[in-house]
Amino acid sequence: MGTLGACRQEVGTPGQTEETPFVGESAGESTSITDLIANLKDSRNKEIIVVAHRGDWRNAPENSLQAIENCITMGVDMVEIDIRETKDGQLILMHDETVDRTTTGTGKVADLTWAYLQTLYLRDGIGHKTPHQIPTLKEALQLCKGNILVNLDKSYPIFDKCFNVIEETGTQEQVVIKGAIPYDRVKEEFGPYLDKVFFMPIIRLHEPHAKDIVDTYLDSLQPVAFEFTVPQDTLKMIEYFDDIRARGSSVWVNALWPRHNGGHDDEKAAMDPTVYDWFLDNHIDMIQTDRPKLLLEYLRDKNRHK
Amino acid sequence: MEKYLKCTFLLATLVMGSVLYGQADINPKENRAAMILEQLKNPSGDYILAVSHRGDWRHAPENSLPAIQRCIDLGVDIVEIDVRLTKDGHLVAMHDKTLDRTTDGKGKVRELTLDEIRAFRLKNACGVRGSRIPVPTLEEIMELTKDRIMVNLDKVEGETVREAYEILKKTGTVKQAIFKGRETVQAMRKKYGDLMDSIIYMPILIDNTKNPAQFVQDYNADLSPLAYEVTFDSEDSENFKQISKLREEGIFVLNIALWDDLVAGHTDEMSLLEGPDASWGWLVERGANGIMTDRPEELLIYLKQKGLRNP
């Protein structure tokens, strides 16, 4: 796998981003899904995995097909989307419990029918109606298939149903599920799926038994990655990230909000991209962001992304 | 991409700067806003103004200082912001009547004091809390934008022109702010009297404007506005017919590419789906001197490509 990492670096030249004058065109070399999966499985290489939160929600409605497509075009590695089930069993993309904020309709997803939801339009970031509509999980996975990894948030409690769609669309190898639960419980609740999709434990770094939970996982499941919540950048456990990667699991930290990363967040990085140095300096190799374009530019400059 | 833009704009600024330095004793920074005002006064076919709606809200929270700063960095000409009065008489930037949608607080702007509002933080455009950015005052906005970009003030015409004017005087930015409104010139005169002669005022032709031709004629006779904001839901509408008339008289026309019924479908969104010639290009061909957009970065790239950014 180390070879792959080296190979990627040779291909990705630092000058690429500057030669790309137009919006919507990929600034990097096109990466096959095989490469993306191999990179996900390889915790030791230098290539950083960029995860876009709710898709490219700045330029298309969050959790819309267009927001996913923009990510694919940009060269994002993984898109995070939120899954909910309608009253009549349809699986759709929707972050909130209600459709009020992001669509032209109102009500709880769980109380609404798919027939009704299909009459709604998604809103943009300032609340205005767009021509985009609510996608189903199936549509989203069909779009992701062969193009981009996908993290299904909020899917854990409805995973049996989600997995049917994953199988149907043939996207098993591309799907990541996360949960803030210890190994014993995951094994019990999620056991049959553990060798079918990627399960990533979420660890709150400031909690007293964080290290024990991590070690148990490393000795048993050997997850593809851990997501760490890092409220303060002084936490001792941060020094453990390097070891965790050496032992075969990647380290995912969100750049989204200050409490995820001890204040080294996207909003700060928008003013000064060297804020992202903290992630590289601390051996973090998966970063979920609200600024995929900025982060990709930063990483490509550093030769840490194709 | 951002880097490319920055380089281009840096270059543009440098070129403009050196040209302006040729004229004695003129600060090139000062001339950025002055140049824009000049374009409003004497619209040219070679320079289409880019007007950004609520700042660049894709980059930072709508109506926030970073969203405005971003417009300055991009080279936008006019930033449109919404201004409301607090309970204790301060003007703050806020689109909705309440803080609910855009901040982590709740309540009506006019029922809260500035201090109360300043304790809240703006949310980003996916509704997430955790930002450090507070609601800015109009005074802060005018200090940030002074000499660098023009500001279009929305939501003021009904009640707060006087209060806003005081801030402009205090910050020395009377010539850098454009007020606007939908009411007739008679109504505005009645409400604000001579103050109307001291501000830059842009009348709006909207779907419910009664007798647009008369509306324009009355404004021209009394105030001679530099510019009109013209919206139209179809090419058959009376509002649309005013565009060519205004252009014949050399008056600046601003179109609003945000939503279908403001530009008969020739929106920002259409530029993504069918290409910018179908939307922004269409508007320019029919007389637009300026375009208000939710996609300032893309609009500027397009206008440059078309040779429509040559002052």
Side-chain angles (χ1 to χ4, degrees):
Chain A
M1 290 301 177
T3 330
L4 179 74
C7 166
R8 281 158 168 272
Q9 285 163 40
E10 279 163 26
V11 175
T13 60
Q16 280 169 357
T17 53
E18 285 154 25
E19 290 160 16
T20 308
F22 298 114
V23 175
E25 283 178 20
S26 172
E29 297 271 320
S30 68
T31 309
S32 78
I33 192 70
T34 327
D35 288 346
L36 291 177
I37 294 165
N39 185 33
L40 176 66
K41 287 178 177 168
D42 181 0
S43 66
R44 296 175 184 97
N45 68 10
K46 284 186 74 184
E47 188 82 1
I48 306 291
I49 293 180
V50 173
V51 187
H53 179 231
R54 302 188 202 170
D56 177 27
W57 57 260
R58 291 180 194 279
N59 298 301
E62 63 177 69
N63 282 311
S64 68
L65 293 179
Q66 187 65 55
I68 297 173
E69 205 167 314
N70 288 0
C71 289
I72 296 169
T73 309
M74 242 188 269
V76 166
D77 304 288
M78 185 186 297
V79 61
E80 186 255 17
I81 53 178
D82 304 283
I83 311 303
R84 290 188 182 271
E85 187 179 2
T86 67
K87 187 182 176 185
D88 49 350
Q90 180 66 264
L91 297 171
I92 63 162
L93 272 59
M94 183 66 53
H95 179 272
D96 299 356
E97 194 178 1
T98 74
V99 300
D100 302 10
R101 179 178 59 88
T102 58
T103 78
T104 49
T106 54
K108 286 186 181 177
V109 176
D111 297 337
L112 300 170
T113 63
W114 175 232
Y116 166 75
L117 290 164
Q118 280 176 283
T119 66
L120 306 180
Y121 290 89
L122 293 169
R123 296 183 184 277
D124 66 20
I126 55 170
H128 276 278
K129 181 185 162 182
T130 70
H132 301 282
Q133 294 194 277
I134 301 171
T136 61
L137 173 61
K138 188 175 171 182
E139 289 171 322
L141 287 179
Q142 280 167 342
L143 175 58
C144 293
K145 185 176 183 174
N147 289 314
I148 192 167
L149 303 168
V150 54
N151 171 215
L152 302 181
D153 201 10
K154 309 199 189 342
S155 69
Y156 191 84
I158 47 171
F159 199 71
D160 290 338
K161 285 177 178 158
C162 292
F163 190 72
N164 290 338
V165 183
I166 293 168
E167 265 194 322
E168 193 187 340
T169 52
T171 48
Q172 290 92 320
E173 275 206 291
Q174 291 172 242
V175 172
V176 170
I177 309 295
K178 296 189 292 182
I181 32 185
Y183 178 63
D184 291 348
R185 233 185 88 197
V186 172
K187 202 177 160 193
E188 192 185 313
E189 297 171 349
F190 202 70
Y193 298 118
L194 284 176
D195 60 350
K196 295 195 173 73
V197 296
F198 296 109
F199 178 83
M200 272 178 51
I202 300 174
I203 313 286
R204 299 186 175 107
L205 216 55
H206 54 296
E207 283 180 1
H209 303 294
K211 189 164 186 298
D212 294 341
I213 301 172
V214 170
D215 286 339
T216 308
Y217 265 113
L218 282 172
D219 294 337
S220 50
L221 180 66
Q222 179 84 70
V224 70
F226 290 92
E227 174 179 324
F228 292 105
T229 309
V230 188
Q232 299 99 30
D233 61 7
T234 49
L235 287 162
K236 193 87 181 138
M237 269 287 283
I238 295 170
E239 292 166 21
Y240 195 38
F241 287 173
D242 201 11
D243 283 346
I244 292 171
R245 281 184 60 191
R247 291 177 67 181
S249 294
S250 284
V251 173
W252 165 320
V253 173
N254 292 324
L256 308 176
W257 316 315
R259 66 180 163 81
H260 290 143
N261 41 56
H264 304 273
D265 60 291
D266 285 321
E267 189 179 84
K268 245 190 193 169
M271 286 173 264
D272 174 11
T274 63
V275 165
Y276 290 134
D277 288 351
W278 179 82
F279 291 84
L280 303 190
D281 293 346
N282 288 291
H283 309 285
I284 292 155
D285 64 335
M286 298 181 75
I287 307 174
Q288 180 171 219
T289 180
D290 274 330
R291 298 194 181 268
K293 194 170 123 189
L294 180 71
L295 180 58
L296 283 168
E297 262 178 25
Y298 166 85
L299 292 172
R300 283 168 180 158
D301 264 2
K302 300 248 172 210
N303 209 14
R304 299 296 296 272
H305 198 283
K306 239 185 182 177
Chain B
M1 176 68 247
E2 270 168 26
K3 188 172 296 159
Y4 169 84
L5 271 179
K6 265 179 209 153
C7 289
T8 314
F9 289 119
L10 188 65
L11 210 70
T13 315
L14 288 173
V15 171
M16 210 183 339
S18 57
V19 169
L20 293 167
Y21 263 125
Q23 308 163 11
D25 300 331
I26 297 172
N27 177 353
K29 226 179 107 193
E30 205 168 272
N31 273 262
R32 172 72 184 144
M35 183 278 281
I36 297 163
L37 181 59
E38 203 48 45
Q39 289 294 334
L40 276 173
K41 287 180 179 167
N42 302 298
S44 116
D46 297 332
Y47 192 87
I48 302 299
L49 270 69
V51 183
S52 194
H53 181 230
R54 303 187 200 171
D56 184 1
W57 58 262
R58 295 183 197 279
H59 180 77
E62 64 177 70
N63 285 312
S64 70
L65 292 181
I68 296 169
Q69 178 64 51
R70 162 81 168 176
C71 291
I72 296 170
D73 295 343
L74 285 173
V76 165
D77 301 291
I78 303 175
V79 59
E80 188 252 19
I81 55 156
D82 306 284
V83 178
R84 293 187 182 275
L85 202 61
T86 65
K87 185 181 174 185
D88 52 344
H90 295 276
L91 286 169
V92 294
M94 179 67 54
H95 178 272
D96 300 357
K97 282 181 181 160
T98 74
L99 274 63
D100 303 11
R101 179 178 60 87
T102 56
T103 78
D104 56 5
K106 275 196 183 313
K108 288 183 179 165
V109 176
R110 65 176 164 80
E111 290 171 1
L112 294 164
T113 65
L114 179 61
D115 283 350
E116 285 168 331
I117 291 170
R118 295 289 274 190
F120 300 125
R121 292 293 175 261
L122 291 163
K123 290 192 272 198
N124 69 24
C126 76
V128 168
R129 297 163 171 82
S131 118
R132 304 171 182 81
I133 306 170
V135 176
T137 62
L138 177 60
E139 190 170 336
E140 286 174 319
I141 289 171
M142 296 319 298
E143 277 163 4
L144 173 65
T145 56
K146 187 173 182 174
D147 300 338
R148 305 164 79 194
I149 192 170
M150 286 191 80
V151 176
N152 180 204
L153 302 172
D154 198 5
K155 313 253 179 291
V156 286
E157 84 266 18
E159 40 200 356
T160 55
V161 173
R162 247 176 223 106
E163 289 86 345
Y165 180 67
E166 288 308 314
I167 301 290
L168 300 183
K169 270 203 309 190
K170 186 178 170 190
T171 51
T173 54
V174 174
K175 293 266 181 248
Q176 293 172 33
I178 304 160
F179 290 81
K180 64 177 169 182
R182 304 166 178 201
E183 295 183 61
T184 62
V185 69
Q186 294 85 348
M188 291 305 285
R189 272 288 182 205
K190 199 173 165 196
K191 218 181 317 186
Y192 293 112
D194 293 346
L195 182 57
M196 294 304 291
D197 300 313
S198 304
I199 60 173
I200 302 172
Y201 190 80
M202 177 170 66
I204 302 175
L205 288 166
I206 198 86
D207 55 353
N208 61 0
T209 305
K210 287 184 191 121
N211 195 346
Q214 191 66 44
F215 179 94
V216 169
Q217 197 183 318
D218 291 349
Y219 260 107
N220 286 350
D222 183 353
L223 272 182
S224 303
L226 294 180
Y228 282 80
E229 184 175 308
V230 183
T231 73
F232 52 93
D233 56 7
S234 86
E235 288 173 69
D236 301 327
S237 79
E238 282 303 310
N239 284 0
F240 183 76
K241 290 171 190 159
Q242 301 309 309
I243 295 176
S244 53
K245 287 197 215 165
L246 289 166
R247 289 303 307 275
E248 277 164 28
E249 296 182 52
I251 300 171
F252 188 100
V253 171
L254 175 65
N255 287 148
I256 313 296
L258 308 180
W259 310 308
D260 285 348
D261 56 352
L262 303 179
V263 276
H266 302 276
T267 59
D268 292 333
E269 191 69 35
M270 186 195 247
S271 76
L272 298 184
L273 300 173
E274 297 177 30
D277 284 336
S279 55
W280 299 328
W282 188 94
L283 292 170
V284 171
E285 269 173 31
R286 278 150 192 81
N289 299 110
I291 295 173
M292 188 186 291
T293 181
D294 277 330
R295 298 193 183 269
E297 191 175 1
E298 289 87 344
L299 174 62
L300 283 165
I301 291 170
Y302 173 72
L303 293 175
K304 279 199 187 101
Q305 273 180 345
K306 292 281 169 181
L308 296 170
R309 294 291 289 174
N310 304 316

